[in-house]
Amino acid sequence: MWLWLIMEMDLLYILLFLSVSCTRTRALINLKYTVEEEQRAGTAIANVAKDAKDAGFVLDPRQPAFRVVSNSAPHLVDINASGLLVTKQKIDRDMLCRQSPKCVISLEVMSNSMEICVIKVEIKDLNDNAPSFPTDQIDLEISETASPGTRIPLESAYDPDSGNFGVQTYEITPNDLFGLEIKTRGDGSRFAELVVEKNLDRETQSHYSYIITALDGGDPSNFGTVELNIKVIDSNDNNPVFEEAAYTVNVPENSPLNALVIDLNATDPDEGTNGEIVYSFNSYVSDKTRELFKIDPKTGVITVSGAIDYEEGHVYEIDVQAKDLGPNSIPAHCKVTVNVLDVNDNVPVINLLSVNSEVVEVSENATPGYVIALVRVSDRDSGMNGRVLCKLLGNVPFRLQEYESFSTILVDGRLDREYRDQYNLTIQARDSGNPSLQSTKSFTVKITDENDNHPHFTKSFYKVNVSENNTPGAFLVSVTARDPDLGMNGSVSYQIVPSQVRDMPVFTYVSINPTSGDIYALRSFNYEQTKTFEFKILAKDGGNPSLQTNVTVRVEVLDVNDNTPVITAPPLVNGTSELYIPRNAGVGYLVTVVKADDYDEGENGRLSYEISEGDRGFFEIDQVNGEIRTTRTFGENSKTTYELIVVAHDHGKLSLSASALILIYLSPALDAQESIGSVNLSLIFIIALGSIAAILFVTMIFVAVKCKRDNKEIRTYNCRIAEYSYGHQKKSNKKKKISKNDIRLVPRDVEETDKMNVVSCSSLTSSLNYFDYHQQTLPLGCRRSDSTFLNVENQNTRNTGSNHVYHHTFTNQSPPQPDLIINGMPLPETENYSFDTNYVNSRAHLIKSSTFKDLEGNSLKDSGHEESDQTDSEHDVQRGLYCDTAVNDVLNTSANSMGTQEQGSVQDVN
């Protein structure tokens, strides 16, 4: 039986290797190890993890190396978490495999990467058992007439060891009259037959005593002994004889009791008791055989006496002896071989090869083709009766891949624990017998959770309204996110995403309970400052890595009537305003407009005005715009002072108000004018600001124009300075445009129309000898504000013809005004200076409008013409020469009209 099992397992492994290579399973390797029996518990047989890794397996060091899916001896060996194959208890091969020549323990393990490893551990036999006989002594009776060569079978010795360590031979001591012949049975066991080697003579010796020794094949050999007692009896001439020495019969398993197996017949020609035969089993027939079969001692009929099971034994050998009742009977022997025929009487047995045969766990992220379990179906029947077909019942996302000796259950669809967390699978196995037998096995597949679902808020947007002036710490709203995952994967925590609200962190406005999602206010909100704000809440699960989502929460602050109106117009001093109106003001005269501000909005900020106390008979107020107008005229006898208490109140549920005392005085000095419409103080303020801005703008323009004009006058061409500075300045490559306006005599823009600018500016400050040509130049481009003037006065007595001669006569006026002031010093006084104004004007016009020429007679072009190729410094020199000539001409001509002495003075100056 063990031999058959081992051969079947070897075939199973071969088929397993061939079949798995065609499946989705990534790899399959075979590992073979040996271990001697009698090893103590915890002995390491091999490092399977290392050998598998060397064979190409991919192992995750963070997880157990292997998962045992099949173990033929789980109580003897196992694989620990580190991948070591160790013994769990002392192994006794003789108990495990009996007489089988080969004893193998098989394991099938699976790595985390779904790679299968088939492990075979051969248990090596030790010669730890000695042969033993069933009894302490063997008693035989042999007729003295037994001829040499007569054989008598002896009881066999039993040795639990197998192979060479079992019983190999027998010895007899002493070896004089009898010998031993060793024979082998069909199962490999050996037994001895006693052989008569010499003639016996009862009268010589009737008793013999020998020692039978059974030896095994160990080195050194173990042995067992038994005492053999032989009694020589008187002879019975004829012995019983069987028709055949061996018989073979077939018996179906499960044959009923007393069913006929075989009818043996032995003959003995003797008569009487010497010919009467008795049948029996030999003494060394096993107890198991005696349980299944029995023999009728008189007829020799062998029948069934127990339940014959093909799966427990296929063949039985029965040694039968026939012995007559005469004296000195020599028994006859024959062997009956009973072959048990298989009947389909065993239903298939389904074994689920997993860590837990009742519940199989698989991750919801398992991909199609992932192996969740191995299934081995066995049928103890043989042939077609033992050929089994399996299938998986029901519409489930799994399939069964069937092979020759085992099957695998694979994932065949998408798994979602949140949709369905477990499946009840049923495997059906049916053999091919006639009629066929079937069996089923159900087990549960539990889908384990993976963090594959994001938290999901129950709302896509949260909006909460909160009244302003709330209490810090007040509850606002609770957000809820659901995560259908389990455990930490479905545990949701909340937090606020960092952001800014009015340049402040949102954490200063609100807080959230990370477990419940309750949101609380951290401050008292003010509607007038913050009407609404938004922030995001992040929901994160506890998976690794975690998944998260967020939602927006909008907080809208509701206005509360918490601001008291403030009266802004008319201006109040200690809550009182004094106003003046004319006594003759008519009915409807606008006294003033009461204005108030309220920072609240809506009805809380809408204001109404009324006169609560005072002289309400003389005045009325518009409830909406706050205009106070008279309702009657004031007579001469009317009092001069009126008091009004004006109240501005809002329209909130709890109305707030502000009041002011307005004192109105009647003034006869004011004229009554009907005021049209209300005075808009803001408009007045804007107009005032605009006016101030306009004045400033005009002033800036005036200053800019003035500065530009002054700069232009400063840039007026100065003949002498140009001539003087010619030798002191570096020549520039830049060509300067010259305008004739640079050289001019400017009329004074004042009331004295009879005055003319001659020279100007503070450039004439270096010397009193101003007209000394060799010491100082005469600039013409001077500021008008620093000018000296030549005063002329009309003298009718000097007029001749069409020419008008103007002269000036000094009188005794105090203080006298000099006629000509040069650099702050007057010219010498004379009695009378006369100027021909026509000539002076014509010369001045000539200077102003002339086109100057250089010393060679070339024209000097002004700014309106094309620039000259000469440099600026050359222009300056040439213009200075002709400017001097023109000025001197004017002065000389003016001097000719003076007296002789004055004329000489002017000439000296020139």
Side-chain angles (χ1 to χ4, degrees):
M1 178 177 177
W2 278 105
L3 179 62
W4 171 83
L5 177 61
I6 292 170
M7 294 176 62
E8 184 186 32
M9 291 178 64
D10 289 339
L11 179 61
L12 184 147
Y13 294 138
I14 294 173
L15 295 175
L16 179 68
F17 175 78
L18 294 176
S19 61
V20 171
S21 62
C22 300
T23 66
R24 292 177 179 262
T25 307
R26 298 183 179 179
L28 182 144
I29 63 172
N30 289 290
L31 298 177
K32 296 182 179 180
Y33 304 104
T34 59
V35 63
E36 293 182 347
E37 64 172 334
E38 303 298 331
Q39 296 293 327
R40 62 183 178 85
T43 300
I45 301 174
N47 190 338
V48 178
K50 179 178 180 302
D51 296 340
K53 189 173 182 181
D54 294 340
F57 273 28
V58 178
L59 302 179
D60 188 352
R62 297 173 298 179
Q63 298 181 0
F66 294 101
R67 178 165 63 100
V68 178
V69 296
S70 175
N71 188 349
S72 63
H75 61 289
L76 297 179
V77 295
D78 196 7
I79 295 180
N80 60 20
S82 60
L84 291 178
L85 180 62
V86 296
T87 60
K88 297 178 68 176
Q89 67 181 35
K90 187 170 77 171
I91 301 176
D92 188 352
R93 183 192 184 281
D94 308 314
M95 294 294 295
L96 181 63
C97 298
R98 303 283 180 186
Q99 297 292 325
S100 298
K102 197 171 185 180
C103 185
V104 176
I105 298 176
S106 63
L107 296 91
E108 294 173 0
V109 296
M110 182 183 296
S111 68
N112 294 321
S113 56
M114 303 309 298
E115 296 165 318
I116 297 177
C117 178
V118 177
I119 302 170
K120 293 193 293 184
V121 182
E122 182 178 357
I123 310 300
K124 292 293 185 179
D125 190 23
L126 296 178
N127 191 19
D128 56 345
N129 293 285
S132 62
F133 288 91
T135 60
D136 294 336
Q137 64 181 16
I138 300 175
D139 296 324
L140 291 180
E141 292 181 352
I142 300 177
S143 173
E144 62 179 340
T145 59
S147 61
T150 302
R151 288 173 169 78
I152 302 171
L154 299 178
E155 292 186 3
S156 301
Y158 173 74
D159 192 337
D161 295 327
S162 63
N164 292 331
F165 295 145
V167 176
Q168 298 295 316
T169 187
Y170 295 87
E171 295 179 354
I172 185 170
T173 304
N175 186 6
D176 49 4
L177 296 178
F178 300 93
L180 295 178
E181 184 176 344
I182 311 302
K183 290 188 176 183
T184 303
R185 295 190 180 93
D187 60 357
S189 62
R190 297 185 179 185
F191 65 96
E193 288 184 346
L194 184 66
V195 179
V196 177
E197 294 182 348
K198 296 179 180 181
N199 293 321
L200 301 178
D201 186 1
R202 187 187 67 81
E203 290 74 22
T204 304
Q205 185 175 351
S206 62
H207 288 86
Y208 295 90
S209 180
Y210 296 94
I211 298 298
I212 304 297
T213 303
L215 297 103
D216 61 22
D219 186 16
S221 298
N222 294 327
F223 61 90
T225 62
V226 65
E227 183 180 358
L228 175 61
N229 296 317
I230 301 176
K231 181 181 178 182
V232 180
I233 60 175
D234 195 12
S235 66
N236 182 9
D237 293 339
N238 294 293
N239 299 323
V241 176
F242 284 102
E243 295 177 354
E244 296 180 10
Y247 299 88
T248 301
V249 294
N250 296 325
V251 177
E253 66 173 329
N254 301 329
S255 295
L257 296 178
N258 300 319
L260 177 64
V261 175
I262 190 172
D263 185 2
L264 297 176
N265 185 26
T267 60
D268 190 339
D270 293 332
E271 293 181 352
T273 57
N274 290 335
E276 187 179 349
I277 299 175
V278 176
Y279 300 89
S280 65
F281 293 152
N282 273 346
S283 60
Y284 50 80
V285 173
S286 66
D287 294 337
K288 180 65 177 175
T289 303
R290 294 177 183 273
E291 291 178 0
L292 298 178
F293 304 97
K294 67 180 180 178
I295 189 170
D296 190 322
K298 293 181 179 181
T299 62
V301 174
I302 299 176
T303 58
V304 176
S305 62
I308 301 176
D309 191 349
Y310 173 86
E311 289 71 36
E312 293 184 0
H314 306 326
V315 178
Y316 295 93
E317 292 182 351
I318 306 174
D319 292 316
V320 179
Q321 71 176 5
K323 185 179 180 182
D324 60 26
L325 297 179
N328 303 320
S329 174
I330 297 176
H333 297 84
C334 74
K335 178 183 290 187
V336 179
T337 301
V338 179
N339 294 323
V340 180
L341 300 179
D342 185 34
V343 175
N344 190 20
D345 60 341
N346 291 284
V347 296
V349 177
I350 302 174
N351 293 317
L352 185 66
L353 306 180
S354 64
V355 176
N356 188 341
S357 60
E358 299 300 329
V359 178
V360 176
E361 294 186 352
V362 58
S363 170
E364 62 178 328
N365 286 346
T367 57
Y370 180 84
V371 178
I372 66 171
L374 269 68
V375 178
R376 175 168 292 158
V377 180
S378 61
D379 192 327
R380 299 176 63 186
D381 298 324
S382 61
M384 294 301 293
N385 296 330
R387 185 175 180 180
V388 181
L389 299 177
C390 297
K391 66 178 180 179
L392 195 62
L393 302 180
N395 184 17
V396 291
F398 302 95
R399 64 184 176 90
L400 189 141
Q401 185 75 39
E402 191 172 3
Y403 304 102
E404 186 66 26
S405 59
F406 73 99
S407 302
T408 58
I409 298 179
L410 310 175
V411 176
D412 193 36
R414 181 178 179 273
L415 303 179
D416 188 354
R417 189 206 63 81
E418 289 72 34
Y419 172 73
R420 187 171 178 179
D421 61 352
Q422 70 178 21
Y423 294 86
N424 292 321
L425 302 185
T426 300
I427 301 173
Q428 182 187 75
R430 181 189 295 270
D431 62 26
S432 301
N434 187 17
S436 65
L437 301 177
Q438 70 177 29
S439 64
T440 59
K441 182 176 181 60
S442 298
F443 63 96
T444 300
V445 177
K446 183 178 180 181
I447 310 300
T448 60
D449 185 47
E450 296 290 342
N451 191 23
D452 58 345
N453 290 281
H454 289 76
H456 178 71
F457 283 96
T458 56
K459 295 181 180 179
S460 61
F461 181 81
Y462 288 86
K463 178 181 177 182
V464 56
N465 297 326
V466 56
S467 299
E468 64 174 330
N469 303 326
N470 58 288
T471 304
F475 172 79
L476 296 180
V477 69
S478 180
V479 298
T480 303
R482 308 294 185 188
D483 192 327
D485 294 325
L486 291 179
M488 294 302 297
N489 295 335
S491 176
V492 180
S493 62
Y494 306 90
Q495 64 185 54
I496 298 175
V497 178
S499 61
Q500 299 285 324
V501 178
R502 292 176 57 87
D503 298 329
M504 292 290 290
V506 70
F507 305 110
T508 63
Y509 281 77
V510 292
S511 67
I512 189 170
N513 186 313
T515 304
S516 64
D518 294 338
I519 301 175
Y520 300 92
L522 293 181
R523 61 168 61 185
S524 180
F525 300 134
N526 190 343
Y527 174 82
E528 288 69 36
Q529 294 179 355
T530 305
K531 294 180 174 60
T532 182
F533 63 92
E534 292 184 355
F535 58 92
K536 292 184 179 296
I537 298 298
L538 182 71
K540 180 169 62 175
D541 62 28
N544 184 20
S546 63
L547 301 178
Q548 60 188 26
T549 187
N550 59 63
V551 71
T552 299
V553 179
R554 173 180 292 175
V555 177
E556 293 188 355
V557 182
L558 302 180
D559 187 30
V560 174
N561 191 20
D562 58 342
N563 290 284
T564 303
V566 177
I567 297 177
T568 59
L572 301 179
V573 177
N574 295 329
T576 303
S577 177
E578 297 181 353
L579 303 175
Y580 294 88
I581 62 173
R583 180 179 291 275
N584 60 353
V587 175
Y589 178 81
L590 178 62
V591 177
T592 186
V593 178
V594 178
K595 290 293 182 182
D597 290 338
D598 194 326
Y599 293 112
D600 295 324
E601 292 188 358
E603 290 298 305
N604 295 330
R606 185 170 66 87
L607 300 178
S608 296
Y609 304 91
E610 64 179 7
I611 300 174
S612 62
E613 297 181 16
D615 299 315
R616 288 182 288 185
F618 293 87
F619 303 93
E620 65 179 0
I621 188 170
D622 191 298
Q623 292 184 356
V624 178
N625 56 30
E627 294 179 353
I628 299 178
R629 295 181 181 273
T630 60
T631 57
R632 63 173 66 179
T633 57
F634 302 95
E636 292 296 331
N637 298 327
S638 299
K639 61 182 181 180
T640 60
T641 302
Y642 294 88
E643 294 182 358
L644 297 177
I645 295 179
V646 177
V647 177
H649 63 86
D650 56 33
H651 289 74
K653 290 183 178 180
L654 297 177
S655 178
L656 301 178
S657 62
S659 61
L661 174 61
I662 298 179
L663 299 178
I664 302 175
Y665 299 97
L666 299 182
S667 175
L670 299 177
D671 293 332
Q673 296 181 357
E674 180 67 23
S675 177
I676 300 176
S678 61
V679 178
N680 193 328
L681 296 180
S682 299
L683 179 61
I684 295 174
F685 182 70
I686 293 173
I687 293 174
L689 289 178
S691 300
I692 294 173
I695 294 172
L696 290 175
F697 182 70
V698 171
T699 303
M700 291 173 64
I701 294 176
F702 176 77
V703 171
V705 173
K706 175 67 177 174
C707 292
K708 184 175 182 181
R709 181 176 179 184
D710 289 347
N711 291 337
K712 186 174 183 182
E713 291 179 357
I714 292 173
R715 291 194 303 269
T716 302
Y717 193 82
N718 189 323
C719 301
R720 291 298 183 186
I721 292 176
E723 179 184 6
Y724 178 74
S725 61
Y726 171 73
H728 302 282
Q729 296 179 353
K730 295 181 180 181
K731 294 182 179 181
S732 174
N733 293 329
K734 184 179 179 180
K735 296 179 181 181
K736 179 177 178 63
K737 294 182 181 180
I738 302 174
S739 174
K740 62 186 177 181
N741 291 331
D742 293 340
I743 305 173
R744 60 187 175 181
L745 295 177
V746 183
R748 181 176 177 85
D749 298 332
V750 294
E751 293 180 0
E752 295 94 340
T753 58
D754 56 346
K755 296 180 182 180
M756 179 179 296
N757 266 338
V758 178
V759 292
S760 64
C761 99
S762 59
S763 300
L764 307 175
T765 59
S766 60
S767 175
L768 293 176
N769 300 321
Y770 173 75
F771 290 104
D772 187 354
Y773 179 82
H774 301 285
Q775 297 183 14
Q776 185 67 31
T777 60
L778 180 62
L780 295 180
C782 301
R783 296 176 59 122
R784 184 165 63 244
S785 60
D786 300 328
S787 298
T788 57
F789 300 98
L790 180 67
N791 297 330
V792 295
E793 187 175 318
N794 190 2
Q795 300 292 335
N796 294 329
T797 58
R798 300 290 179 103
N799 294 339
T800 59
S802 61
N803 295 327
H804 299 279
V805 179
Y806 294 87
H807 72 278
H808 177 74
T809 303
F810 287 108
T811 62
N812 294 328
Q813 298 174 357
S814 180
Q817 299 292 332
D819 293 317
L820 182 61
I821 301 174
I822 304 299
N823 198 23
M825 299 297 293
L827 291 176
E829 297 181 2
T830 59
E831 293 180 358
N832 195 340
Y833 296 100
S834 301
F835 296 89
D836 188 346
T837 59
N838 291 331
Y839 177 76
V840 173
N841 291 332
S842 64
R843 299 297 290 175
H845 178 73
L846 177 63
I847 294 171
K848 184 175 182 181
S849 61
S850 294
T851 301
F852 293 98
K853 298 181 179 181
D854 58 17
L855 296 178
E856 296 178 359
N858 296 322
S859 175
L860 297 178
K861 298 179 182 180
D862 57 20
S863 60
H865 300 79
E866 182 180 356
E867 293 183 357
S868 174
D869 293 335
Q870 294 173 302
T871 63
D872 294 342
S873 298
E874 292 172 346
H875 288 173
D876 292 342
V877 173
Q878 295 167 2
R879 294 173 68 181
L881 294 175
Y882 280 94
C883 184
D884 274 349
T885 303
V887 173
N888 290 338
D889 191 11
V890 173
L891 295 176
N892 288 334
T893 303
S894 302
N896 287 335
S897 64
M898 302 178 185
T900 303
Q901 182 178 358
E902 291 76 3
Q903 184 177 2
S905 299
V906 172
Q907 291 175 351
D908 291 338
V909 172
N910 293 330

